[in-house]
Amino acid sequence: MPPVFRFAPSPNGYLHLGHAYSALLNFDLARQSGGRLLLRIEDIDKPRCRPEYEEAIYEDLAWLGIVWETPVRRQSEHLDIYRRAVDHLAEAGLAYPAFESRAEIVRMIGQSPRKPWPRDPDGAPLYPGSVASLSKEERQVRLQAGEAFVMRLDSLEAIRRMGALTWDEEGAGPEGQTGRIAARPDDWGDVVLARKETPTSYHVSVVIDDAVQGVTHVVRGQDLFWATSVHRLLQALMGLPAPVYHHHRLLRDAEGRKLSKSAQAPSLRALRAEGKSPQNIREMVGLP
Ligand code: GLU
């Protein structure tokens, strides 16, 4: 079976050099290994995703010379699958609805004697509640009253049931970690799996889609290295296979910041308008 790679952008802005590097690396690795390249549009965040950005993704990737298989998978067309998976976790006693607003979470953390409050690998404070904060009956009453909620993973229970997990890293983590990596899902606490208005989350959709699409090699930026801990735990809970992971270096601007939409990284289309060629882009991202 040929290896299966994927590039999975979110259509919430124009692609920049960081995306070009990730997409070209996936394309090159697929070519070199006689593998396949899939494209997935990660558009579950409806308010931030726009059709014109999705169109631009196809145009920019084709301009770079990248060839991908069709049909393209769009996450917004598969919300039912994600919803069912989160429902299953809840039925299995591994996920629960939590009702705190962001402000309440901040207040709970402020009131805690634990200082400093622990943060996840992305720098966000861990959820200060737990499945034990409310009884099953209280949760049911509040759900029936139509209160806003998020579904959270009962991470302690999930880790207890699944035991130690690892993944095979063919790239490297932020500290050069490579080879067999011990997953650390406890670093993330009770992550959000779904929201009332969006029945999924990045973590849930990504592991389901990688499995549904038969992805064998996940090649993506180092900023997602530790998210792999959560992905391995969810794969184990849902009985999904673990792909091989390859986290790649991040492109940075002159100030050392990771290229991003929010840091105003120049878009591929702006570079193209300036007269840059696809070969220039390859050189700029350090690919042959
Ligand atoms: N959609 C994610 C992003 O644009 C990538 C997800 C992944 O590769 O796992 O950052």
Side-chain angles (χ1 to χ4, degrees):
M1 290 273 273
V4 181
F5 295 78
R6 53 50 160 200
F7 177 57
S10 295
N12 55 13
Y14 292 119
L15 300 186
H16 52 65
L17 284 174
H19 297 110
Y21 177 56
S22 202
L24 287 165
L25 187 60
N26 269 289
F27 179 59
D28 290 357
L29 289 169
R31 281 261 152 124
Q32 287 156 17
S33 59
R36 301 163 54 198
L37 177 63
L38 309 179
L39 177 60
R40 181 163 78 226
I41 300 294
E42 302 214 322
D43 58 349
I44 56 171
D45 186 1
K46 270 285 147 217
R48 295 181 61 218
C49 293
R50 293 213 227 125
E52 58 267 35
Y53 291 139
E54 186 179 328
E55 275 314 308
I57 288 171
Y58 303 136
E59 203 179 292
D60 292 346
L61 294 179
W63 175 71
L64 285 173
I66 291 173
V67 182
W68 62 91
E69 288 182 16
T70 50
V72 167
R73 184 173 174 92
R74 299 167 81 228
Q75 292 190 323
S76 57
E77 292 169 0
H78 302 279
L79 296 179
D80 275 349
I81 300 182
Y82 312 135
R83 183 185 288 115
R84 274 203 299 278
V86 175
D87 285 350
H88 274 140
L89 291 178
E91 284 156 21
L94 292 159
Y96 62 94
F99 301 90
E100 295 90 352
S101 65
R102 269 173 227 270
E104 275 173 295
I105 289 179
V106 169
R107 193 164 33 91
M108 285 161 76
I109 291 171
Q111 283 168 354
S112 160
R114 188 160 172 197
K115 307 263 187 274
W117 185 258
R119 290 174 179 270
D120 71 24
D122 283 348
L126 294 195
Y127 175 59
S130 80
V131 69
S133 318
L134 279 181
S135 71
K136 249 196 163 141
E137 294 68 36
E138 282 170 296
R139 289 184 204 282
Q140 214 41 51
V141 168
R142 294 178 71 165
L143 278 182
Q144 265 152 20
E147 274 190 49
F149 67 93
V150 297
M151 292 300 290
R152 288 187 179 273
L153 178 69
D154 182 350
S155 59
L156 285 180
E157 180 61 12
I159 293 166
R160 191 185 68 74
R161 288 197 212 168
M162 294 303 120
L165 296 166
T166 61
W167 78 85
D168 288 327
E169 176 63 46
E170 290 188 348
E175 275 99 46
Q177 305 94 322
T178 192
R180 179 71 42 99
I181 310 289
R184 292 166 33 180
D186 42 323
D187 286 354
W188 293 90
D190 288 2
V191 286
V192 172
L193 298 178
R195 297 177 189 278
K196 187 182 178 190
E197 65 286 3
T198 309
T200 187
S201 60
Y202 161 63
H203 298 306
V204 166
S205 318
V206 86
V207 297
I208 291 178
D209 285 356
D210 284 338
V212 168
Q213 296 191 286
V215 171
T216 59
H217 289 69
V218 171
V219 179
R220 62 184 179 192
Q222 239 161 33
D223 50 338
L224 292 169
F225 184 79
W226 286 119
T228 312
S229 292
V230 177
H231 300 171
R232 286 294 300 117
L233 182 57
L234 291 175
Q235 285 158 354
L237 292 170
M238 296 180 190
L240 305 175
V244 168
Y245 288 87
H246 176 140
H247 292 91
H248 60 68
R249 66 187 161 84
L250 299 175
L251 299 194
R252 299 190 181 274
D253 64 16
E255 281 83 53
R257 289 174 307 182
K258 175 187 118 162
L259 293 189
S260 68
K261 286 153 201 159
S262 49
Q264 312 277 300
S267 67
L268 292 177
R269 43 197 47 220
L271 295 167
R272 181 161 81 224
E274 267 172 33
K276 296 278 192 290
S277 69
Q279 189 50 38
N280 294 145
I281 302 290
R282 275 195 171 266
E283 286 155 15
M284 289 170 81
V285 302
L287 282 173

